[in-house]
Amino acid sequence: MPMRTTAAAAGPAPPDDGMHRLLQWLTTADRSALFQQQPHEPVFGGIRAGLPVVAVDPGRRFQPIDGFGFSLTGGSALLISRLPAAERQLLLRELFLPDGAGIGVSFLRLAIGASDLSERSFSCDDRPAGEEDFALAHFDIAAGDREVLPLLQEILAINPTLRIIATPWSAPPWMKTNRGFVGGKLRRDCFAVYAAYLVKYILTMRENGTTVHAITPQNEPLNQKNEPSMVMEAGEQAEFVKQHLGPALAQAGLREVEVFCWDHNCDRVEYALAVLADPEARRYLSGSAWHLYGGEISALAAVHAAHPDMKLYFTEQWVGSDGQFGPDLLWHARNVLIGALCNWSAAVFEWNLASDPACGPHTPGGEARCVGALTIGGEISRNVAYYVIAHAAKFIRPGSVRIFSQADAPLHSAAFLTPEGLVVLLVLNESGQPCSFGIAYRDEHAEVTLPAGALATCVWRAAR
């Protein structure tokens, strides 16, 4: 099956020819452009009076950026692993390299055990009914989703600097109050062994050549209906982090592994604030993680205001099979991408990397309508989430920093300064009409026109 070659094959950097020109990549709601480099290269100079303006000020700096990516679910790994080897390599290079046709994914989210987009529910230490394993003698990193580790090794050979965050959907059932995969809570007498279980996962991943840089104690801790799932109240999470997980990581020599609390929706800010308000828990935490299936993205800024020393990660947002490309593109660009970044998120993840045409695989009780960034069937299709992440990941490399930007209506924007000395500007025109506007940078202006319903990435050199 043929692979797509993007128009970005020459790479993201404008030529250093003294012209101070601006390069643009574009995706439109009507799909007339799909992450396509534009032939017109505006040069900074003057603009027409009366145009809307996007002001960019590199002197005003905010959060550093850790990366952009997707969740490598068990189902995603299964589908990608089934591709012929040569085709799989081409796809992985497209996904994980920023040069040429690559989109430069720099961060992956993994499930510790099964997610709801695995073929079945499992943990890394399942036991027959009535049995327990407090010594973790039966721990098995390959208990399910067997394609994940081999595929990760292929990915890391392409991009060794890839960062990884991992999160459990459920503890092993024998550790839970209901002894099942759906709902239930972590038994009080299992807090210590569950911390040891998470530490053993990180250490075993290292033994298999994969460094886990960050974890959350529980995916969606107030979701008791998904398969798998586990409920963990704010007080329980604070206790687990400060008395068990944090000390266990430190004792194992894993102090550098970052821990993020919450990992659920923006409508329950009080949960994250309660955990972060516990000084003993906070000493082991790097920040909080967020989804947007409820609430408003501005919740992240409220948490930042209360705890400016704590990071924020936006770790999940799905695209549903009942959606449409245009409205989904505009919503995700405004809220998940530009919204999360402008509200202090240091990383942005869309949900699953790949699904089949029927939105599988998934567990029997898992979400059955998740569209992957890729649909892998008779051919490979690239979907909304792919383009949303591509617009940021290719250009805003880890170590970039968000800088000030302010856009007149009908535009939304976020701007960044990269380690290579490039300015990257994300601009969304969500109106139904084309919009010409000026980019004001230092004492210069560049005039740009975006089609109706367009997401653009504009790139220029910071130094003249």
Side-chain angles (χ1 to χ4, degrees), residues 188 191 232-242 271 274-275 278:
R188 287 281 176 176
F191 274 38
M232 183 179 280
E233 302 288 348
E236 294 170 318
Q237 188 162 113
E239 178 184 346
F240 177 66
V241 169
K242 69 183 179 183
Y271 187 115
V275 178
D278 187 317

Side-chain angles (χ1 to χ4, degrees), residues 232 249-250 273 290 318 322:
M232 183 179 280
L249 288 168
L273 291 177
W290 298 86
W318 80 321
D322 56 349

Side-chain angles (χ1 to χ4, degrees), residues 44-92:
F44 278 88
I47 61 167
R48 290 176 288 149
L51 291 180
V53 171
V54 177
V56 177
D57 182 358
R60 298 170 63 180
R61 301 187 180 190
F62 304 97
Q63 78 272 23
I65 300 300
D66 288 346
F68 300 89
F70 307 99
S71 289
L72 181 64
T73 61
S76 298
L78 175 66
L79 293 168
I80 294 172
S81 296
R82 287 175 173 172
L83 295 172
E87 187 173 355
R88 184 172 65 249
Q89 269 292 304
L90 283 174
L91 178 62
L92 294 180

Side-chain angles (χ1 to χ4, degrees), residues 32-381:
S32 59
L34 294 171
F35 196 47
Q36 181 179 9
Q37 186 174 353
Q38 301 304 290
H40 179 57
E41 298 179 2
V43 175
F44 278 88
I47 61 167
R48 290 176 288 149
L51 291 180
V53 171
V54 177
V56 177
D57 182 358
R60 298 170 63 180
R61 301 187 180 190
F62 304 97
Q63 78 272 23
I65 300 300
D66 288 346
F68 300 89
F70 307 99
S71 289
L72 181 64
T73 61
S76 298
L78 175 66
L79 293 168
I80 294 172
S81 296
R82 287 175 173 172
L83 295 172
E87 187 173 355
R88 184 172 65 249
Q89 269 292 304
L90 283 174
L91 178 62
L92 294 180
R93 292 179 68 83
E94 175 189 337
L95 289 170
F96 295 99
L97 290 178
D99 303 323
I103 66 169
V105 168
S106 52
F107 220 147
L108 283 178
R109 184 172 180 237
L110 303 180
I112 300 174
S115 75
D116 58 311
L117 299 190
S118 298
E119 289 188 296
R120 62 179 179 86
S121 290
F122 68 91
S123 79
C124 296
D125 198 335
D126 290 331
R127 304 306 304 140
E131 291 189 19
E132 297 175 339
D133 183 20
F134 278 83
L136 300 178
H138 298 280
F139 185 94
D140 181 6
I141 198 72
D145 290 345
R146 294 180 180 273
E147 295 80 11
V148 170
L149 266 175
L151 187 63
L152 271 175
Q153 291 167 357
E154 288 189 57
I155 293 168
L156 289 167
I158 293 169
N159 179 5
T161 65
L162 183 81
R163 291 178 61 85
I164 291 171
I165 184 170
T167 186
W169 267 241
S170 173
W174 59 267
M175 296 187 192
K176 297 173 66 177
T177 56
N178 67 351
R179 305 280 177 159
F181 276 111
V182 179
K185 289 190 172 187
L186 185 64
R187 289 164 42 191
R188 287 281 176 176
D189 63 334
C190 289
F191 274 38
V193 71
Y194 189 44
Y197 169 88
L198 297 178
V199 167
K200 193 172 185 70
Y201 170 84
I202 295 169
L203 292 174
T204 306
M205 290 292 280
R206 286 194 175 189
E207 292 169 3
N208 284 271
T210 300
T211 297
V212 175
H213 299 87
I215 63 169
T216 71
Q218 176 61 41
N219 173 70
E220 299 190 346
L222 297 184
N223 181 348
Q224 59 183 340
K225 297 181 179 180
N226 201 8
E227 182 188 354
S229 57
M230 185 173 77
V231 175
M232 183 179 280
E233 302 288 348
E236 294 170 318
Q237 188 162 113
E239 178 184 346
F240 177 66
V241 169
K242 69 183 179 183
Q243 295 184 7
H244 301 283
L245 180 59
L249 288 168
Q251 186 175 3
L254 296 171
R255 292 181 181 269
E256 75 281 6
V257 177
E258 296 186 306
V259 180
F260 289 77
C261 68
W262 187 218
D263 211 0
H264 207 167
N265 289 333
C266 291
D267 58 352
R268 294 297 299 270
V269 177
E270 68 275 9
Y271 187 115
L273 291 177
V275 178
L276 293 171
D278 187 317
E280 290 302 308
R282 193 171 64 247
R283 66 191 289 254
Y284 294 112
L285 291 169
S286 291
S288 55
W290 298 86
H291 307 174
L292 193 55
Y293 304 114
E296 301 293 332
I297 196 64
S298 58
L300 277 65
V303 175
H304 173 79
H307 296 282
D309 59 325
M310 293 280 103
K311 285 185 180 182
L312 295 155
Y313 276 2
F314 188 94
T315 49
E316 180 184 319
Q317 195 68 31
W318 80 321
V319 176
S321 59
D322 56 349
Q324 296 180 336
F325 185 94
D328 286 344
L329 173 71
L330 301 184
W331 191 92
H332 282 250
R334 182 178 69 250
N335 293 286
V336 175
L337 187 59
I338 294 174
L341 291 166
C342 288
N343 284 280
W344 295 92
S345 186
V348 175
F349 298 80
E350 288 278 348
W351 179 211
N352 58 317
L353 177 55
S355 62
D356 66 21
C359 295
H362 56 78
T363 60
E367 177 53 62
R369 299 169 296 149
C370 290
V371 176
L374 306 171
T375 298
I376 299 180
E379 58 182 17
I380 299 176
S381 301

Side-chain angles (χ1 to χ4, degrees), residues 404-450:
F404 175 85
S405 73
Q406 182 172 294
D408 293 336
L411 305 170
H412 301 269
S413 70
F416 306 85
L417 185 64
T418 76
E420 298 78 22
L422 300 177
V423 177
V424 180
L425 176 66
L426 303 174
V427 186
L428 174 67
N429 172 21
E430 63 177 353
S431 74
Q433 301 295 325
C435 180
S436 296
F437 62 96
I439 297 174
Y441 174 73
R442 299 193 188 276
D443 296 324
E444 295 184 311
H445 295 77
E447 186 173 326
V448 175
T449 299
L450 291 189

